[in-house]
Amino acid sequence: MTERAIADRDIADALCEQVRSAYDARTPLRIVGGDTRAFYGRPVEGQALQIAEHSGIVSYDPVELVVTVRAGTRLSDLQEVLAEKHQMLGFEPPMFGEASTIGGAVATGLSGPRRPWAGAARDFVLGTRIITQQGKLLRFGGEVMKNVAGYDLSRLMAGAQGTLGVLTDISFKVLPIPTATHSLRLTLGLDEALKKLAELGRKPLPITAAAWHHGELFLRLEGGKSSVSATQASLGGEPLDASFWHQLRDHTHAFFAYGDGQALWRLSLPPNSAPLALDIPESDIFYDWAGSQRWVKTTLDADTLRAACAAVGGHATCYTPHAQGGAAEPFTPLNTVVEKYHRNLKAELDAHGIFNPGRLYAAF
């Protein structure tokens, strides 16, 4: 795969025209890329704004570790081009299907197992081109890390799920692929594993992923050969196939097959949080991000899960809001102050509510 092998097509003008027409007619738009993340958030009713054809690499400077890519570019294609130069997207975005696009990865703001050690999706976004509510194509940010001119709308787009504007181009900081890597598994109970993770977190070790499930602790070591080898020798354990992390990232691991009546939840908790007092079997909980992110499949109701998370300063998101036993609202309700800012921002950037209306919250 080379840069020329990726379909290179700029349809920004056509997209702007469709947005202008929607703005004038007050027509809701449902922004669609690969449509592999439609399960995330609330359903949207509206005229489809197809982004997938807007694809291609605009520029790539491996020396400066910067790539600019159109939003409809397939995530797998971009990753392959970066790999040719021994580079990668540092936030390790999930890929929920071959049609996954880089625009969808940024819009949902989801990050993979490396997130606690490398940063979130928005941390790697340097700049964007965005179609505004009036159908204007504007650039925000740039192609350097220190860019303080103007309002930082680029990083705000990460996780906004298309409710504030239409992403067309995105500039990223990329990272070198580590020289050495080794994954391992240790047989440890939950309490012992959490203590082990807290202990390892206090040391300068080359850990870039840590998870626990059903009596086993999984670790990924990445960095220089000597550092990885020394840490591997110190920790011991059994070798683990690196594909494990892709399965966890993309939800293709056997854990993510849940039964009738169960819903899949993502619990986001402060570091070193103890196990929550929930009536859920250990086998139905997968600890990721060294325990800060926990995947749960359960029939428990939303209020019970969210109350348990809130008690320790966390929150819960339902990945299957329409499944039996799921929640009517996938996202934790906002407090009064935060909701006010959300409403004001939406009103400023999307006065007529045409961009993915109701995707995040029913009111905006």
Side-chain angles (χ1 to χ4, degrees):
M1 174 70 67
T2 64
E3 292 179 43
R4 292 183 180 179
I6 297 179
D8 188 3
R9 190 175 181 194
D10 184 351
I11 62 167
D13 289 344
L15 294 173
C16 287
E17 180 58 36
Q18 187 174 350
V19 171
R20 278 194 291 270
S21 296
Y23 178 79
D24 292 340
R26 311 295 196 265
T27 302
L29 293 174
R30 180 173 63 91
I31 304 171
V32 182
D35 212 25
T36 60
R37 295 173 172 81
F39 66 88
Y40 187 67
R42 306 176 78 256
V44 175
E45 297 292 335
Q47 181 183 100
L49 182 70
Q50 300 285 354
I51 305 297
E53 289 187 43
H54 186 69
S55 64
I57 292 180
V58 178
S59 63
Y60 178 28
D61 190 338
V63 176
E64 295 295 329
L65 298 173
V66 173
V67 64
T68 298
V69 61
R70 296 191 181 103
T73 305
R74 289 195 174 190
L75 185 53
S76 57
D77 290 345
L78 174 58
Q79 290 173 325
E80 194 170 340
V81 168
L82 294 176
E84 289 181 354
K85 300 296 184 181
H86 305 288
Q87 295 177 351
M88 64 182 184
L89 294 168
F91 59 102
E92 203 171 3
M95 189 167 65
F96 297 116
E98 187 58 33
S100 286
T101 64
I102 187 62
V106 173
T108 53
L110 303 178
S111 305
R114 187 178 281 108
R115 189 258 183 259
W117 294 271
R122 62 169 46 89
D123 298 321
F124 289 88
V125 174
L126 301 176
T128 57
R129 283 206 310 169
I130 298 169
I131 300 175
T132 67
Q133 58 183 332
Q134 294 94 353
K136 297 179 180 179
L137 187 61
L138 302 181
R139 176 175 292 280
F140 296 88
E143 294 185 349
V144 295
M145 285 306 294
K146 289 187 177 180
N147 193 312
V148 296
Y151 188 66
D152 191 5
L153 187 60
S154 293
R155 290 184 176 87
L156 194 62
M157 295 293 285
Q161 298 197 64
T163 61
L164 302 178
V166 181
L167 281 168
T168 61
D169 299 3
I170 311 152
S171 296
F172 295 97
K173 175 184 71 173
V174 298
L175 297 179
I177 293 176
T179 305
T181 181
H182 176 76
S183 294
L184 60 92
R185 66 204 310 161
L186 299 166
T187 301
L188 290 174
L190 177 56
D191 290 340
E192 189 178 358
L194 292 177
K195 290 179 182 177
K196 184 75 171 178
L197 288 170
E199 173 191 335
L200 296 176
R202 294 190 289 269
K203 300 178 180 179
L205 299 176
I207 295 174
T208 62
W212 181 92
H213 178 59
H214 209 31
E216 290 187 303
L217 177 62
F218 309 95
L219 298 171
R220 181 175 63 193
L221 312 176
E222 291 182 326
K225 291 182 179 179
S226 59
S227 177
V228 169
S229 295
T231 307
Q232 174 186 346
S234 173
L235 292 174
E238 297 293 326
L240 174 68
D241 193 288
S243 63
F244 169 86
W245 303 108
H246 296 161
Q247 294 169 8
L248 175 57
R249 178 195 69 192
D250 301 338
H251 293 188
T252 57
H253 188 279
F255 168 83
F256 293 98
Y258 40 89
D260 292 340
Q262 288 185 316
L264 179 66
W265 287 83
R266 172 180 175 258
L267 312 186
S268 301
L269 306 172
N272 301 320
S273 294
L276 301 181
L278 294 169
D279 185 19
I280 302 175
E282 276 192 357
S283 59
D284 285 346
I285 306 177
F286 207 122
Y287 288 66
D288 193 8
W289 296 2
S292 292
Q293 175 171 264
R294 300 176 191 180
W295 298 103
V296 174
K297 47 188 184 181
T298 181
T299 58
L300 289 178
D301 62 272
D303 290 342
T304 298
L305 286 166
R306 287 182 168 139
C309 291
V312 297
H315 62 272
T317 301
C318 186
Y319 267 53
T320 52
H322 307 297
Q324 183 180 356
E329 291 292 338
F331 302 111
T332 298
L334 302 174
N335 65 49
T336 304
V337 175
V338 175
E339 181 179 347
K340 175 184 176 182
Y341 285 119
H342 273 245
R343 286 180 180 274
N344 290 346
L345 187 61
K346 178 68 171 176
E348 183 69 25
L349 299 179
D350 185 18
H352 299 327
I354 63 171
F355 294 134
N356 279 357
R359 183 70 187 268
L360 282 172
Y361 296 98
F364 44 87

